[in-house]
Amino acid sequence: MASLPSVVVGNTLKLENEFKKNSVTPLPFEKKNHSPINSDKALEPLNLEFREALSLIKEGSEKVESASYVPLLQECIKKKSVSEAEAIHGHIIKMGIHEDLFLMTFLVNVYAKCGMMGSARKVFDNLPKRNVVTWTSLMSGYVQNSQPEVAINVFQEMLEAGGFPTNYTLGVAFNACSLLGHFELGKQIHAYVVKYEIGDDTSIGNALCSLYSKSHNLDSAVKAFRMIADKNVISWTAAISACGDNGDSAMGLSLFVDMLCADVEPNEFTFTSVLSLCCIMQALKIGSQIHSLSIKLGYGSNLRVTNSIMYLYLKNGWIIEAKKLFDGMETISLVTWNAMIAGLAQMMDLGEDGIAAHSSGFEALNTFLRLHHSGMKPDLFTFSSVLSICSSLVALEQGEQIHAQVIKSGFLSDVVVGTTLVNMYNKCGSIDRASKAFVEMSTRTLISWTSMITAFAQHGYSKQALQLFEDMRFVGVRPNKVTFVGVLSACSHAGLVKEALTYFDMMKKEYKIKPVMDHYACLIDMFVRLGRVDEAFDFVKKMDFEPNEFLWSLLIAGCRSHGKLELGFYAAEQLLSLNPKNSEAYFLLLNMYLSAERWKDVSRVRKLMKDEKIGKLKDWSWISIRDKVHSFRTGDQLNPPYENIDIFLSDLHDKASTMGFELHTSLELKNEEDDEATFPIGRHSEKLAVAFGLLNTPSAAPVRVIKSISMCRDCHSFMKFISQLTSRKIIIRDSKRLHKFVNGHCSCGDFGSLV
């Protein structure tokens, strides 16, 4: 349905003169004066229980006035009882009053409210005559039952039959256009509204505001709102929501203030809309004031409002306040559980350091455990959230348990959950299980394919990644820019220069995808790995944008690995100019100057660090064992139960040395004003965490560690020896990439060190 019928476009349809003056309230059923029933057996449903009245209706054979059916039909709506509505309908036909327009229009509404649009349409089609209320009832029913296109068709039929739409009819038509995304048709109906100067009607203005909001035309949405003469709470809420949906949260909050000044009391939908704006703007102070107002107006126990406030507090780090709200709820819905879990997951990104993030993640998993014990069943959103949390925590054991629950709950076939499982196993270092989860997916989206291609690339399985990409193209799935990042990364790991450049050209020419920073990063990474540092710098010059911190880091690593010190110094200086507060970059540059014995530059960098108040690197590593997080910091004095780590680590160093490992002590950095070593390489945090893991996990179990900064060369080399020495898989995710050490080899291709 692309346009209105000619009867409207040609402007041949005219409104009755008085219609422009008087708006019609929603579904205004005509009131009729009916004479009282004189029979001794007269039925008075208003004074009878519903069941008794219905029984008399079924058994009685005497004629009943049509008004007597209305309360019974209203009960059918309340009870959503189709069978009882059909029984009453049958009696109406039996009594021969099925031509009563008021009663049959009400019956159309009853069937629509009970979700029986086939029956509603049948009643409508059998009517000998129809009025605008009848047409509108049918249209509204189709909209309510998610059939907006049929509602538009009915609207067309009404216009072609010469019917005159009321304000409410037009509002229903606008809502149908919104649901369908038929915005051009909505504009045509709006032109009809403008012609007859009825844009100030409340129901029309509300519907227009929502229509233009969904078409991402905020100016027109606000203009439609401003036109409304008598703005009600729905009008204000529609305008506030429009601002939120179209990226102008500040205007939305301003409208909320105007609403309060106009003495319009907000409802639960207003509160949830304006609280979502506070979330976007991180306006915690305003949000807390709105919380107080909601309590004052009686919404303190309203589930929707409480969920919104709780999520606002979580997003802004007010965990204690959010927990108070959560724990104080008498009844907790699944939406509330999901909001709490998602909020704690969000706190992982907002944590001041890795330990705080890790703590929030495990608290989210514990909340999921409480949900499970409550007897309430998780949904797709719950499983997706907790699996993503397991990914961030590298919590494979918990992820496997949740996977089992997914299977038991019957959600394994869902494509979102399946893709999340692939990502979880990938980030936890289990590429085999990630591949198995991908193969078991009944349907796959572009995101699913891209996730698996990226997983293969990150684990160094370049051949499998490229083959999967070709399989994806073969089945007709069109790659996007993220897919090509995975493909180019696979080429980089394997040193496939020719293939990488071919895919790069394919991306630009065949798929018309403009290269972004990540694509260039993959190619530069590839050239650097191969020792072709000059070509990497040439590629940087060809880019249409300035390199970011990650690109300069790649170039620095390549220059250090292949002896291009001058280029390395240049790249390091560029990195610092991008982020003068990057402590890791300062230590990296200082390390390079120390290695080259360029003492003047060492002094200069030390002075810069002092001027910028750059302290020691916050080098943390943590490992979770049996649901408990154990954290380690470089240079920690180890107390029980960690005191045996030093002895064990020293023993590992001795054994690794016999196999050829050398500790480059010349790279230890010391603070001139502090006797304590800033970088005691022999006891870097990941070594402590891995040693603890080796001591406290089964002999065949992989050791999984998260590190707050990137690994240094010595630790990277040490982990390769230890994986071979102990025959254990060691998985470390640092700030740059995933490292999976197996039998003396790392999945990063020995290109994981910057310090």
Side-chain angles (χ1 to χ4, degrees):
M1 241 276 322
S3 62
L4 284 171
S6 58
V7 67
V8 174
V9 177
N11 296 322
T12 57
L13 176 63
K14 295 184 178 180
L15 286 172
E16 298 174 9
N17 292 330
E18 68 274 12
F19 177 67
K20 289 190 284 182
K21 302 176 183 177
N22 302 308
S23 63
V24 182
T25 57
L27 293 181
F29 295 110
E30 299 168 8
K31 294 182 179 179
K32 294 189 176 182
N33 293 322
H34 297 282
S35 59
I37 305 171
N38 296 319
S39 169
D40 291 335
K41 296 181 180 179
L43 180 63
E44 298 177 14
L46 292 173
N47 301 319
L48 297 172
E49 291 292 335
F50 177 68
R51 288 290 178 187
E52 185 181 354
L54 186 63
S55 178
L56 290 174
I57 279 280
K58 291 177 179 178
E59 295 173 3
S61 58
E62 294 194 22
K63 189 171 183 180
V64 179
E65 286 291 338
S66 60
S68 301
Y69 291 100
V70 174
L72 291 175
L73 290 171
Q74 287 174 331
E75 282 296 315
C76 292
I77 293 175
K78 289 179 184 177
K79 295 156 66 72
K80 299 286 184 185
S81 177
V82 177
S83 61
E84 290 166 350
E86 288 174 339
I88 297 170
H89 185 188
H91 193 271
I92 290 170
I93 295 172
K94 183 178 179 181
M95 293 296 103
I97 54 175
H98 54 280
E99 292 187 0
D100 184 298
L101 184 58
F102 166 72
L103 182 59
M104 300 312 285
T105 298
F106 198 93
L107 192 58
V108 169
N109 189 43
V110 171
Y111 279 130
K113 294 275 177 69
C114 291
M116 299 295 291
M117 287 311 300
S119 298
R121 182 74 206 210
K122 195 171 181 180
V123 172
F124 178 85
D125 289 340
N126 288 329
L127 286 172
K129 61 177 181 178
R130 300 154 187 150
N131 62 15
V132 65
V133 179
T134 316
W135 287 100
T136 306
S137 295
L138 188 64
M139 285 176 58
S140 182
Y142 280 121
V143 171
Q144 291 166 8
N145 286 278
S146 304
Q147 299 180 61
E149 188 153 3
V150 185
I152 293 295
N153 292 337
V154 172
F155 182 58
Q156 278 190 305
E157 290 177 40
M158 183 191 75
L159 296 177
E160 290 166 352
F164 296 107
T166 66
N167 292 11
Y168 184 74
T169 314
L170 293 169
V172 174
F174 283 130
N175 288 335
C177 292
S178 294
L179 291 170
L180 285 169
H182 283 358
F183 302 122
E184 288 304 316
L185 176 61
K187 289 179 181 178
Q188 291 182 43
I189 302 174
H190 188 187
Y192 175 84
V193 168
V194 172
K195 178 180 178 182
Y196 292 104
E197 300 177 0
I198 52 175
D200 61 346
D201 176 77
T202 304
S203 61
I204 288 178
N206 293 348
L208 270 173
C209 182
S210 296
L211 173 75
Y212 283 119
S213 172
K214 288 185 179 179
S215 67
H216 306 297
N217 188 340
L218 182 59
D219 290 340
S220 295
V222 173
K223 188 175 180 181
F225 164 75
R226 303 286 187 199
M227 286 283 293
I228 300 172
D230 185 17
K231 299 178 180 67
N232 59 18
V233 64
I234 298 173
S235 313
W236 287 98
T237 303
I240 291 168
S241 298
C243 293
D245 293 340
N246 290 277
D248 198 338
S249 300
M251 183 191 289
L253 290 177
S254 177
L255 284 173
F256 179 69
V257 174
D258 294 342
M259 174 186 179
L260 298 178
C261 292
D263 289 328
V264 179
E265 185 174 302
N267 61 18
E268 63 176 300
F269 301 105
T270 320
F271 278 121
T272 53
S273 294
V274 76
L275 285 166
S276 72
L277 301 182
C278 293
C279 276
I280 294 169
M281 296 185 69
Q282 295 190 334
L284 186 56
K285 187 175 181 180
I286 297 173
S288 61
Q289 292 174 356
I290 293 170
H291 183 190
S292 299
L293 177 63
S294 70
I295 295 172
K296 182 180 179 181
L297 296 178
Y299 291 96
S301 58
N302 183 281
L303 199 57
R304 283 182 176 148
V305 176
T306 305
N307 285 345
S308 298
I309 295 167
M310 186 180 72
Y311 193 72
L312 170 68
Y313 288 161
L314 283 167
K315 190 169 184 181
N316 286 273
W318 281 23
I319 297 180
I320 296 174
E321 288 76 7
K323 284 181 182 175
K324 284 180 182 177
L325 279 174
F326 183 75
D327 294 334
M329 292 183 182
E330 295 179 5
T331 57
I332 304 178
S333 70
L334 184 57
V335 174
T336 311
W337 285 106
N338 286 343
M340 190 68 187
I341 292 169
L344 288 168
Q346 177 114 16
M347 286 303 302
M348 295 180 69
D349 298 327
L350 299 174
E352 294 181 1
D353 52 47
I355 302 301
H358 215 71
S359 177
S360 295
F362 269 96
E363 191 161 356
L365 292 182
N366 287 333
T367 304
F368 173 74
L369 190 61
R370 287 174 58 191
L371 162 63
H372 180 67
H373 290 158
S374 73
M376 191 173 290
K377 293 183 178 180
D379 62 6
L380 297 175
F381 183 84
T382 321
F383 283 124
S384 297
S385 294
V386 292
L387 285 170
S388 297
I389 292 166
C390 291
S391 299
S392 301
L393 295 174
V394 195
L396 180 63
E397 183 179 340
Q398 291 85 347
E400 289 173 333
Q401 293 171 4
I402 294 166
H403 188 178
Q405 289 189 45
V406 169
I407 295 171
K408 186 177 179 181
S409 302
F411 289 126
L412 190 60
S413 60
D414 181 79
V415 68
V416 175
V417 173
T419 303
T420 311
L421 278 168
V422 171
N423 284 328
M424 185 272 292
Y425 282 124
N426 168 38
K427 291 184 178 179
C428 289
S430 182
I431 188 64
D432 293 336
R433 294 183 189 179
S435 180
K436 187 173 184 292
F438 178 78
V439 170
E440 289 175 349
M441 293 178 69
S442 55
T443 57
R444 303 181 184 98
T445 63
L446 170 61
I447 297 174
S448 311
W449 287 96
T450 300
S451 297
M452 194 65 237
I453 290 168
T454 303
F456 277 135
Q458 289 176 347
H459 284 262
Y461 290 78
S462 300
K463 183 178 178 181
Q464 290 88 332
L466 298 181
Q467 182 58 57
L468 191 62
F469 175 69
E470 295 301 335
D471 291 344
M472 184 191 80
R473 295 179 67 213
F474 180 77
V475 298
V477 178
R478 184 181 178 86
N480 64 8
K481 61 183 179 182
V482 182
T483 317
F484 275 103
V485 171
V487 170
L488 293 174
S489 178
C491 294
S492 172
H493 271 74
L496 303 173
V497 176
K498 182 179 179 181
E499 289 82 351
L501 296 177
T502 299
Y503 283 123
F504 190 68
D505 286 339
M506 175 195 293
M507 177 184 73
K508 292 189 294 182
K509 296 176 182 177
E510 183 175 342
Y511 293 103
K512 310 299 181 186
I513 297 173
K514 187 177 180 180
V516 296
M517 190 75 74
D518 288 343
H519 299 129
Y520 285 108
C522 291
L523 294 175
I524 290 168
D525 180 68
M526 175 183 65
F527 284 123
V528 165
R529 284 172 184 269
L530 296 171
R532 295 159 66 170
V533 178
D534 292 331
E535 290 178 69
F537 273 90
D538 289 340
F539 233 94
V540 170
K541 296 175 184 177
K542 295 176 183 177
M543 296 193 316
D544 297 330
F545 32 75
E546 292 298 317
N548 61 10
E549 292 178 45
F550 182 68
L551 277 187
W552 287 120
S553 298
L554 286 174
L555 291 168
I556 294 167
C559 292
R560 288 191 64 204
S561 297
H562 301 289
K564 302 277 188 177
L565 290 182
E566 290 303 321
L567 283 175
F569 295 141
Y570 169 76
E573 298 283 0
Q574 295 301 312
L575 176 59
L576 275 182
S577 67
L578 282 179
N579 186 359
K581 297 292 184 181
N582 188 331
S583 57
E584 193 170 349
Y586 276 107
F587 280 106
L588 169 62
L589 183 58
L590 189 57
N591 230 344
M592 292 172 64
Y593 283 136
L594 280 168
S595 299
E597 298 183 352
R598 292 175 52 160
W599 307 116
K600 288 185 179 179
D601 288 316
V602 168
S603 299
R604 178 176 61 84
V605 173
R606 285 193 186 277
K607 184 177 184 304
L608 283 173
M609 292 174 69
K610 188 174 181 179
D611 293 343
E612 294 290 344
K613 297 180 180 179
I614 303 297
K616 298 176 183 178
L617 279 177
K618 295 179 180 180
D619 177 23
W620 285 87
S621 292
W622 51 96
I623 181 172
S624 58
I625 299 175
R626 290 182 286 277
D627 295 337
K628 184 176 180 181
V629 180
H630 303 269
S631 58
F632 300 89
R633 186 175 57 180
T634 295
D636 267 350
Q637 296 298 318
L638 300 175
N639 299 311
Y642 307 114
E643 71 277 4
N644 56 346
I645 292 178
D646 272 332
I647 299 172
F648 180 63
L649 192 56
S650 178
D651 183 53
L652 288 177
H653 267 287
D654 291 340
K655 290 179 179 178
S657 297
T658 63
M659 298 173 66
F661 171 69
E662 294 182 9
L663 183 66
H664 294 279
T665 53
S666 62
L667 293 182
E668 290 191 21
L669 301 182
K670 293 190 177 183
N671 190 318
E672 289 178 335
E673 301 174 2
D674 193 348
D675 293 334
E676 179 190 355
T678 305
F679 264 70
I681 291 179
R683 298 177 79 255
H684 278 182
S685 64
E686 67 269 42
K687 287 186 177 181
L688 300 175
V690 167
F692 182 76
L694 291 171
L695 286 170
N696 292 277
T697 55
S699 58
V703 175
R704 291 179 170 83
V705 171
I706 300 178
K707 181 176 169 67
S708 61
I709 62 174
S710 57
M711 294 181 69
C712 70
R713 288 180 175 184
D714 290 277
C715 288
H716 191 273
S717 176
F718 180 70
M719 293 305 165
K720 290 198 300 179
F721 281 102
I722 296 308
S723 68
Q724 187 174 5
L725 186 66
T726 61
S727 299
R728 299 278 291 272
K729 291 181 181 178
I730 299 173
I731 297 160
I732 300 177
R733 192 197 301 166
D734 66 14
S735 61
K736 295 293 190 297
R737 68 187 78 221
L738 178 78
H739 304 270
K740 184 176 180 181
F741 300 93
V742 181
N743 294 325
H745 299 281
C746 180
S747 59
C748 77
D750 293 341
F751 194 72
S753 164
L754 287 184
V755 178

